[in-house]
Amino acid sequence: MVRGQYKKETKFPKKNKPQKFEKYAWVLDYLPYGYPDKPDEPIVQGLGEYQFLLMEMIPKPDADIQLGERVYIGRGKRDKIDHVRRMIKYEYLTPTAKAELLYVIMEAVKMQEPRFIRFLNECPPITTKLHTLELLPEIKTKYMWKIIEEREAKKFESFEDFKERVGKDPIRIIAKRIEKELSDDKKDKYYLFVKWKKGIILDEKNMAYYLKE
């Protein structure tokens, strides 16, 4: 890509994708006696590892639940979580859960390094004036072109490779973007990773945008 030029403006077809089930979640908060204003059964607030769904989970009796741990919630036998009770919005997270969120997202991103390295290597322009990379925190025009030039010279091979060549921590940058998409209810137009929200969605498989119905 020539500096200062983007491809022609992207069209956003409408598309509804089938829902995928999360296999793992990360614990944001554990309330052994339920919510203070509505005592009930024990509640675990968590974050889905791949789709970044915010959820309430019901732990198994006597399960040892720790903040920031990764728990299995997929099909079959589960060791700590009995079932997922419901999906929740960011505003329903406890103060503890909100404080843990960025840390937990960073851990989830670390475990999916190939996925996010591919994103950094292949994410496309959105319009003639806006590139996907510019949606990432700390990535303004200068760093956007640095990333594009570096990846055209040689694809990034790891988070460490990206950090050495660009001078930015990709784990934190991506995690902060995910946190922003989770917390900015109806304020964001584009969703790169939190695809259960409505808006213009990045299809990571094809690296193309579509409008979610």
Side-chain angles (χ1 to χ4, degrees):
M1 179 179 291
V2 178
R3 182 183 285 270
Q5 293 184 357
Y6 290 147
K7 298 177 183 178
K8 65 180 180 180
E9 188 164 348
T10 306
K11 293 183 179 179
F12 306 115
K14 291 184 178 180
K15 185 177 181 182
N16 271 331
K17 301 195 74 176
Q19 184 77 13
K20 293 181 179 180
F21 293 100
E22 295 277 18
K23 291 184 178 181
Y24 292 92
W26 293 78
V27 175
L28 296 172
D29 196 7
Y30 174 46
L31 298 90
Y33 305 107
Y35 295 111
D37 60 339
K38 190 179 179 181
D40 196 0
E41 58 191 337
I43 292 290
V44 178
Q45 289 194 339
L47 176 77
E49 181 170 271
Y50 187 84
Q51 299 180 84
F52 304 106
L53 291 163
L54 296 172
M55 60 185 75
E56 286 180 353
M57 302 174 285
I58 305 301
K60 290 189 172 183
D62 302 321
D64 180 21
I65 306 293
Q66 302 295 323
L67 294 187
E69 76 169 307
R70 184 175 184 250
V71 293
Y72 181 69
I73 59 170
R75 300 181 186 276
K77 186 177 180 180
R78 303 169 182 169
D79 56 348
K80 293 191 176 185
I81 301 299
D82 184 79
H83 65 276
V84 176
R85 186 161 83 168
R86 62 170 182 163
M87 302 301 114
I88 58 176
K89 293 183 178 180
Y90 177 85
E91 62 193 83
Y92 293 109
L93 294 179
T94 66
T96 297
K98 289 179 180 178
E100 286 286 315
L101 185 59
L102 182 60
Y103 164 79
V104 162
I105 296 171
M106 290 177 69
E107 292 301 309
V109 170
K110 287 179 187 177
M111 295 198 68
Q112 300 176 76
E113 186 172 15
R115 170 191 179 185
F116 292 108
I117 286 297
R118 179 173 180 259
F119 165 82
L120 293 169
N121 278 324
E122 300 179 15
C123 63
I126 300 172
T127 69
T128 55
K129 296 182 179 180
L130 179 65
H131 197 283
T132 301
L133 291 167
E134 293 177 278
L135 299 181
L136 300 177
E138 303 178 27
I139 303 300
K140 303 301 180 183
T141 303
K142 173 185 174 182
Y143 280 101
M144 177 200 70
W145 285 114
K146 175 69 172 175
I147 294 168
I148 290 172
E149 289 168 356
E150 287 289 341
R151 75 185 192 181
E152 287 187 347
K154 182 184 178 182
K155 296 292 186 182
F156 298 111
E157 297 179 351
S158 65
F159 286 146
E160 189 60 33
D161 181 34
F162 181 96
K163 187 175 182 179
E164 289 179 359
R165 291 162 59 188
V166 176
K168 293 286 185 179
D169 180 358
I171 298 171
R172 184 171 182 83
I173 288 171
I174 291 169
K176 287 175 71 174
R177 174 65 199 186
I178 294 168
E179 182 183 44
K180 181 178 185 296
E181 291 183 14
L182 287 169
S183 61
D184 286 359
D185 190 31
K186 298 181 180 178
K187 295 179 182 179
D188 233 317
K189 181 178 181 181
Y190 300 101
Y191 292 94
L192 307 181
F193 309 113
V194 183
K195 297 178 177 61
W196 51 270
K197 287 196 169 186
K198 290 184 178 180
I200 297 174
I201 309 294
L202 176 65
D203 181 345
E204 292 179 70
K205 181 178 179 180
N206 301 310
M207 286 297 166
Y209 285 90
Y210 66 90
L211 181 62
K212 186 174 181 180
E213 295 181 326

